[in-house]
Amino acid sequence: MKMSPPKFGQVLVVDDETELMSALVEALTLQGYEADGFVSGKAALEALERQSYDLVLTDLMMPEMDGIALLKAGLKIDPHLVGVVMTGHGTVPTAVEAMKVGAFDYILKPFKMTEVLPVLARAREVRRLRLENIQLRETVAIYNLSQTIAFSLDSKLVLENSADAALQQTEADEVSIMLLTPENRELYIAVVRGRDREHLLGQHLSLQEGIAGWVARQSEPLILNGEVSDARFAPIRPRAEIRSAISMPMRAAGKLVGVLNVNSLQSRRSFTPGQIKALSILTSTAAAALENEALYSTLEAREKHFRALIENSSDAVTLLNPEGRVIYTSASARRVLGYAPEELAGQNAFDLIHPDDRQTMLTGFIEAAQKPRQVQTTQLRVRHKDGAWLWIEGTAQNLLAEPGVEAVVVNYRDITERRRADEKIENQLRRLSALRAIDMAITSSLDLRITLNVLLEHVIAQLRVDATAVLLLNRHLNELEYAAGRGFRGASITRLRLKLGEGYASQAALERRTVSIPNLAEAERPFTKAELTADEKFVALYAVPLVAKGQVKGVLEVFHRARLDPDPDWLDFLETLAGQAAIAIDDAQLFDGLQRSNIELALAYDATIEGWSRAMDLRDKETEGHTQRVTELTLELARAAGMSDTEIAHVRRGALLHDMGKLGVPDSILLKPDKLTDEEWVAMRKHPQHAYDMLSSIHYLRPALDIPYCHHEKWDGTGYPHGLKGEQIPLAARLFAVVDVWDALRSDRPYRAAWPEEKVLEHVRAQAGTHFDPKAVELFFQVMSEKAHEPKQSAG
Ligand code: C2E
Ligand code: SIN
Ligand code: SIN
Ligand code: FE
Ligand code: FE
């Protein structure tokens, strides 16, 4: 199905593999693009000379001329051309090279069409943004220029300045202004800028001749955005020379006074709508000057003309004396710069300019003084009355050449927004290529440290922050641990460990959202780790959770030593980078897990675990069978709690090994038939830590550690080893604790006899909300009552 062609959809496809090239052209045509294909860079360049394209999709490795050379040359022909390169796996660094010379994106070969289309769609958007931005800039700049040009009442000066500006704006080869002779029968060429000046200047042509003649007769503009081949035109030079042209009638007081002509000779050129608009502004300025010269012949009339121009200007206009002091300011200056005209009178204009831009201003001023006939345009920062720096496009003309005027007129137009828009586009492009570079680091390296370091380098460069770090979540310790960092002055960050719950990083991880502290001094609380602020003098912090496949992997933090008030794009990019980091971590952990579990599998068969657990029960004779019983009941609770099969496999191993750590407790304590002393308690309470130490090095068992490590934590936070509270305690451990205590109490221990069943159940119920998770207790009684109602297995 043929779709409507997208705007900015002219694509040049270049690949020395003929089949691939043809297939791409065909597929893109089906998608509504206007695609032309070539097998060599040279042929493609020739096409680019002949016709305008929005996008170039090119292979990188080609005999004769490679993709990079093609792009470089193409960008000379059309600086706004958007390039996408296609590359094989081995040549990814070359693709990055291509992006440095101006390619917008790259596609890895082999690819599917579904991968190409989104890249081209983005490229099209970039083309649109670039052209729109250029267009806006051209129109605004030329309007500003024409305002200043119009101050002059010397028509010859105005015509020359207009022709200069037209040449500059269109980047064409020549501009001429032809005026109608007094008898209205001929056009004579009054001003020429660019090529062929000697040949053209002063020539006459009849109204029956050439493009200009046609325009003068019809009194309407003619835009020839292509080969000038129409037989209607018999130009005064060999026709083949002119490739594209714009011709505009000049009218003053409704009457035709001349024609402004722009020609492009060497190569076909498409004039942009912005350029065409610019020309029409310049044409009316030039025409008005011819009219004004006659109108304002007296000094008094001239002064009136100036005042009218100044007062009607929407820009801020000042007249400066040759030393740079303000003689006159338009009322509109108050809107643009914040000052009333009286406030500026007598001030030195330099005092308002940003120190970094004073040299630019001075140079412009000197040039204006030396070349009074020329209009100077500069961009610089000017202080608004409220203290803010505005970006201004200043256009200046020295009016010394005007009889009776001794001043430089300066037009100030606020272009702050435009500068911001430019920066935004630049940032977007830089960020896109940064993301590609990170993608590459992720796919080409499974070493997490390398990937994270590449990523953090980009964080610093693209987000312009002082320091950044990745903290990884240790699921067994419930701690965030430093993994990689950049930009820190001291080493204390490398020792950073935050318990979940501590610090802003934890907040990001637990709430799964970005925590923004633009200014620590205004935040609700300081850093938890005071040494971070003391050594590093950070003022701002942003913490973003790293989430992959629904799991929090860690936190990406950025720090700045000054206040940060980022725009939404910045935050968006920060979060995008965090997404990349999470993917990298997930990839590396998957790979890590795979590798290690393969090695350790032999060690870690479940049979081995069961062997261990039986050996433990044997040591602690009285508890024989305890482990099997608690394991079975815990699994039932875990199922009732809705845990997945994988989780249940870990729960099983964890329950079997729950008191593994008692292997580290001496017999004298473990088998003591009496109450424990304080010292003995200290040793006994180490058994969860012993279990962690023994088992955590076995990767296969890491996910099973929740129970051995946390089964003595209590819901109200009074347990050990860490005093975790509520849901900080892993669910498996919360379920297990109920079962463990229930089974311990109904068994004989060296230090006491078994309790009656009712007393045990009452104890368990009573401890809900203090020792135990109330939900775990509820599940426990639910499972117990189901068991009670089951038919008895055997009559005995
Ligand atoms: P265990 O015997 O497997 O007991 C596990 C848990 O069940 C205990 O954790 C405790 O929460 C509960 N529990 C067991 N017996 C009693 C009891 O008589 N009264 C109450 N209210 N709760 C009981 P806990 O307290 O952290 O003890 C951990 C381990 O320390 C015990 O494992 C046992 O091996 C040892 N232990 C505890 N108390 C003594 C003691 O008085 N003498 C000796 N020799 N060992 C003790
Ligand atoms: C864990 O969360 O796996 C252990 C709890 C702790 O000891 O912090
Ligand atoms: C961090 O979040 O990295 C430490 C700063 C804090 O204590 O919140
Ligand atoms: Fe225990
Ligand atoms: Fe136990």
Side-chain angles (χ1 to χ4, degrees), residues 334-348:
R334 192 200 278 278
R335 193 178 40 75
V336 180
L337 297 175
Y339 296 98
E342 318 77 82
E343 290 179 272
L344 287 179
Q347 273 217 42
N348 193 318

Side-chain angles (χ1 to χ4, degrees), residues 659 662 669-670 672 674-676 681 684 687 712 720 740-741 744-745 749 751-752 755 763 771:
D659 268 341
K662 282 186 181 168
I669 299 175
L670 186 69
K672 183 178 175 181
D674 206 340
K675 285 215 170 311
L676 300 177
W681 259 119
M684 178 56 82
H687 79 275
H712 287 298
Y720 63 94
D740 187 35
V741 171
L745 287 175
R749 284 286 187 269
Y751 55 95
R752 59 145 178 79
W755 288 9
H763 176 81
H771 187 159

Side-chain angles (χ1 to χ4, degrees), residues 252-398:
K255 247 183 73 211
L256 185 85
V257 292
V259 175
L260 183 141
N261 257 332
V262 176
N263 295 329
S264 191
L265 306 178
Q266 306 299 6
S267 63
R268 185 215 114 101
R269 178 179 293 278
S270 284
F271 294 103
T272 67
Q275 289 173 329
I276 294 164
K277 176 94 185 137
L279 282 181
S280 93
I281 293 171
L282 284 171
T283 307
S284 29
T285 308
L290 291 170
E291 193 189 356
N292 288 342
E293 191 173 39
L295 229 56
Y296 302 103
S297 50
T298 66
L299 217 63
E300 203 192 346
R302 279 166 187 268
E303 208 187 309
K304 250 171 123 179
H305 169 68
F306 279 130
R307 294 208 181 273
L309 274 175
I310 289 172
E311 293 315 330
N312 292 334
S313 174
S314 60
D315 304 338
V317 182
T318 56
L319 286 180
L320 308 178
N321 74 10
E323 282 88 53
R325 295 220 170 264
V326 178
I327 312 171
Y328 187 85
T329 309
S330 65
S332 49
R334 192 200 278 278
R335 193 178 40 75
V336 180
L337 297 175
Y339 296 98
E342 318 77 82
E343 290 179 272
L344 287 179
Q347 273 217 42
N348 193 318
F350 284 84
D351 297 342
L352 291 177
I353 309 297
H354 191 283
D356 292 352
D357 297 339
R358 284 200 185 131
Q359 192 54 46
T360 315
M361 164 102 179
L362 191 65
T363 315
F365 207 75
I366 291 170
E367 242 174 80
Q370 286 169 352
K371 296 179 192 157
R373 305 183 74 83
Q374 260 176 30
V375 176
Q376 308 284 330
T377 299
T378 44
Q379 294 191 353
L380 34 76
R381 280 159 289 180
V382 174
R383 194 194 288 286
H384 188 273
K385 194 182 177 186
D386 68 12
W389 291 106
L390 302 177
W391 270 103
I392 295 290
E393 187 163 78
T395 309
Q397 192 181 11
N398 191 338

Side-chain angles (χ1 to χ4, degrees), residues 106 218 227 240 274 335 346 368:
Y106 71 92
Q218 308 294 322
E227 209 95 14
R335 193 178 40 75

Side-chain angles (χ1 to χ4, degrees), residues 418-435:
R418 205 209 303 165
R419 287 292 280 228
R420 287 216 187 105
D422 278 0
E423 277 170 19
K424 196 167 155 168
I425 291 177
E426 270 170 39
N427 277 341
Q428 275 172 351
L429 293 176
R430 274 194 298 109
R431 285 169 184 180
L432 269 169
S433 44
L435 282 180

